Amino acid sequence: MKLSQLMEGLDYLVLQGDAEAEVADVAYDSRKVQPGFAFVCVVGTNRDSHDYAEDVAAAGASVLVIQHKLDEMPAGVTVVQVENSRHALAIMSCNLFGNPAKKMTMIGVTGTKGKTTTAHMIQAALNAAGKTCGIIGTNGTAFAGERHALANTTPESYELQKLFSEMLAAGCDSVVMEVSSQGLMMSRVDGIHFDVGVFTNLYPDHIGGPGEHQSFEEYRAWKGQLFRRCDVGVVNVDDKNCNTLLAGHTCRLVSYAMHKDADFVGSGLELERGENFLGISYQLSGVWNARVRVNMPGEFSVYNSLAALAVGQVLGLEMEAVCKGLEQVSVKGRVELVPVSKRFTVLIDFAHNEAGTENLLTTLRAYQPKRLVVLFGCGGDRSRLRRYGMGEVASRLADFLILTEDNNRFEEVEAILADIKIGIAQGRPDVPCVEIPDRLDALHYALDHAQDGDMIAVIGKGHETYRDRKGKKTPFLERELLLEYAQQIGLE
């Protein structure tokens, strides 16, 4: 492809060389450059890839796309300057792969919590209605019967456009994806126009840590950008931040709620619990009217399913098909039951912040377990505020706490647990609690000491398949580890 074709839709200045230069592929990682590639110099949080201009030229790059001028231009290379190289990477990637998103129905889901579950509910609804829907998010990507892990909830723009092209080639007619605030801020979804954007809720998160947002206001503003890039916004009007987040929106709005007037309203909740089953049913009213049954527990599952129902109606799906999808949906690592015993209930969930933990534990308390046992830790190299919040919430809502590691990265587990205990002291300091730094030992302890009627919530990792210690990731899949140990000790 000629450089001028790759740059279509961008303002740029040719500083050296020829805009008609042939380009074999695009790269933003200097280690992946091959002869004939265009290399996009991205300014990152830790390094500036402009520093590698000489190296990529020596590796055979034919084009350099820069954001700021270089001290010295590599000879024999076409150099073009753009205002924002991340935005340029996104548009170039769209053009390189033939703008596949324009050929499918695109649904983007944003919010603090519930994105993954809502996206899976929407996918289940679309598939039940006869559509072929791919999914991208925290749990990875899945289409054509295959699932793959991803480095980010919202992948970098090049990988994202490549995924879209693969989904289109595999027969997908629609895509539902989680759109993170960081994905929006870092231009990963630039060049994509969504048919439907979904807002779940907003709580403080991803604030103050390395590469995170500087303030809650900034976090909220970036979330709101999705509703300037879609035709229809499906929004939770019960959330107190909804109106502010939508400031400047350019889309038609469809609302859902449980406590306000809205286009889709859920009421009359009934908990459903059986052997290895936790679910909920409710009355749907508004644009559609039906009794809805969801194969996941809690009020938050009602909100997520209301969003899916609204998306289904916006896209012209049959209500019966959407309801069928919701009754069958399951999400790995999201209130996922692990069938280890008939005497007590074990579930794993990705709740890893204060809001997610509070919603989950409040939901589980409603099922009136004999004891609510919570096993958790907090990630290293992340905001300490999250640790205080999770400690405070867990101490208030649980009957017994098991504190352990959760991807400590380059921090000491003991230091992280000390922060969690500061939060516990601010909540219910006398809550029974044990500290078991090794997470596998903690899982074994939970099963060894379980009592009849207990509900044991293992939270923080959910779908993750690894444990990150000092930057080294090793296999760690909690569902399999729990099942294996239950068999080893002969649980019934």
Side-chain angles (χ1 to χ4, degrees):
M1 183 177 285
K2 292 185 183 296
L3 176 61
S4 59
Q5 295 174 296
L6 270 180
M7 304 296 285
E8 189 174 333
L10 289 167
D11 292 326
Y12 61 95
L13 178 64
V14 180
L15 302 179
Q16 175 177 295
D18 184 4
E20 299 307 305
E22 289 288 342
V23 176
D25 204 342
V26 175
Y28 61 94
D29 183 336
S30 61
R31 296 166 295 184
K32 296 182 179 179
V33 171
Q34 296 181 32
F37 276 38
F39 180 70
V40 183
C41 299
V42 173
V43 179
T45 55
N46 297 317
R47 60 175 61 91
D48 184 346
S49 60
H50 289 74
D51 297 339
Y52 301 98
E54 289 286 353
D55 295 336
V56 297
S62 59
V63 174
L64 284 176
V65 179
I66 63 173
Q67 182 171 309
H68 58 75
K69 290 189 177 180
L70 304 172
D71 293 335
E72 189 174 334
M73 298 284 201
V77 177
T78 294
V79 181
V80 297
Q81 185 172 7
V82 295
E83 182 178 348
N84 183 321
S85 58
R86 284 191 176 277
H87 174 70
L89 174 64
I91 303 304
M92 292 170 70
S93 299
C94 289
N95 293 332
L96 178 69
F97 291 104
N99 289 287
K102 292 182 178 180
K103 301 165 188 174
M104 298 180 287
T105 299
M106 299 298 299
I107 305 111
V109 182
T110 199
T112 303
K113 53 189 178 63
K115 294 189 297 297
T116 298
T117 302
T118 301
H120 278 79
M121 287 181 173
I122 293 169
Q123 183 193 39
L126 284 162
N127 288 342
K131 303 294 183 180
T132 304
C133 182
I135 191 167
I136 297 171
T138 306
N139 277 17
T141 179
F143 62 98
E146 295 187 6
R147 181 176 296 275
H148 303 283
L150 296 171
N152 299 303
T153 296
T154 307
E156 289 290 351
S157 56
Y158 179 92
E159 282 76 23
L160 191 58
Q161 295 299 327
K162 184 179 180 182
L163 272 174
F164 290 158
S165 69
E166 292 170 351
M167 288 179 174
L168 185 63
C172 290
D173 51 37
S174 49
V175 177
V176 58
M177 63 174 291
E178 298 175 47
V179 183
S180 67
S181 56
Q182 286 148 313
L184 286 157
M185 181 175 69
M186 301 177 80
S187 300
R188 293 172 185 163
V189 293
D190 286 7
I192 304 170
H193 186 79
F194 293 91
D195 295 273
V196 185
V198 178
F199 167 61
T200 60
N201 49 65
L202 199 73
Y203 297 89
D205 198 18
H206 300 294
I207 299 167
E212 296 186 319
H213 299 286
Q214 297 304 304
S215 67
F216 177 72
E217 290 73 22
E218 179 187 286
Y219 174 58
R220 181 175 58 200
W222 278 111
K223 291 284 190 190
Q225 284 293 316
L226 178 61
F227 302 96
R228 302 182 184 189
R229 307 183 187 195
C230 66
D231 293 328
V232 180
V234 171
V235 298
N236 174 10
V237 293
D238 276 347
D239 190 278
K240 65 181 180 181
N241 285 288
C242 186
N243 288 338
T244 306
L245 181 140
L246 290 172
H249 74 85
T250 57
C251 59
R252 176 170 72 88
L253 297 178
V254 174
S255 59
Y256 66 95
M258 291 178 62
H259 305 294
K260 291 183 179 179
D261 290 335
D263 299 311
F264 291 80
V265 177
S267 60
L269 280 60
E270 292 184 9
L271 304 178
E272 297 189 19
R273 182 181 184 183
E275 185 178 323
N276 294 317
F277 177 83
L278 286 174
I280 197 164
S281 64
Y282 65 91
Q283 182 62 42
L284 170 68
S285 60
V287 177
W288 279 350
N289 291 274
R291 190 72 192 173
V292 178
R293 187 171 186 263
V294 184
N295 188 32
M296 297 186 78
E299 185 175 282
F300 56 86
S301 294
V302 176
Y303 277 111
N304 297 338
S305 61
L306 286 168
L309 287 156
V311 170
Q313 191 274 333
V314 167
L315 295 179
L317 306 184
E318 294 293 331
M319 181 180 69
E320 291 76 12
V322 178
C323 290
K324 179 181 178 181
L326 293 174
E327 192 165 344
Q328 298 173 344
V329 70
S330 63
V331 186
K332 288 188 178 298
R334 299 303 192 279
V335 202
E336 180 184 2
L337 295 177
V338 185
V340 296
S341 175
K342 296 178 181 179
R343 296 190 296 105
F344 54 88
T345 302
V346 176
L347 60 92
I348 57 177
D349 192 84
F350 192 53
H352 61 285
N353 58 31
E354 180 180 353
T357 301
E358 183 160 26
N359 276 347
L360 175 68
L361 300 188
T362 301
T363 293
L364 298 182
R365 286 228 71 92
Y367 287 88
Q368 300 182 335
K370 177 181 177 182
R371 291 190 310 167
L372 178 55
V373 178
V374 183
L375 184 157
F376 76 106
C378 287
D381 302 326
R382 297 293 186 269
S383 173
R384 297 175 71 185
L385 295 177
R386 183 181 295 175
R387 304 169 192 175
Y388 305 150
M390 286 188 69
E392 190 273 330
V393 165
S395 71
R396 280 194 291 106
L397 294 173
D399 298 303
F400 191 88
L401 301 180
I402 304 172
L403 304 185
T404 189
E405 64 181 323
D406 181 351
N407 295 338
N408 61 299
R409 300 182 177 88
F410 292 96
E411 282 194 73
E412 296 297 330
V413 176
E414 290 76 12
I416 297 171
L417 299 188
D419 284 340
I420 294 173
K421 287 190 289 184
I422 291 173
I424 292 173
Q426 296 168 349
R428 185 160 63 98
D430 60 345
V431 63
C433 176
V434 296
E435 293 180 52
I436 305 174
D438 185 284
R439 196 169 178 105
L440 182 58
D441 290 343
L443 294 176
H444 292 175
Y445 178 93
L447 296 189
D448 287 338
H449 294 82
Q451 300 177 14
D452 290 359
D454 279 355
M455 188 173 285
I456 302 171
V458 179
I459 68 173
K461 294 185 66 62
H463 64 283
E464 290 181 347
T465 60
Y466 61 87
R467 174 165 52 181
D468 187 342
R469 289 169 162 174
K470 304 299 182 185
K472 183 179 180 180
K473 292 183 178 180
T474 54
F476 197 90
L477 186 57
E478 288 185 324
R479 179 184 177 86
E480 292 183 359
L481 293 169
L482 286 162
L483 288 170
E484 181 182 284
Y485 188 66
Q487 185 177 21
Q488 180 182 326
I489 63 177
L491 278 180
E492 296 180 355

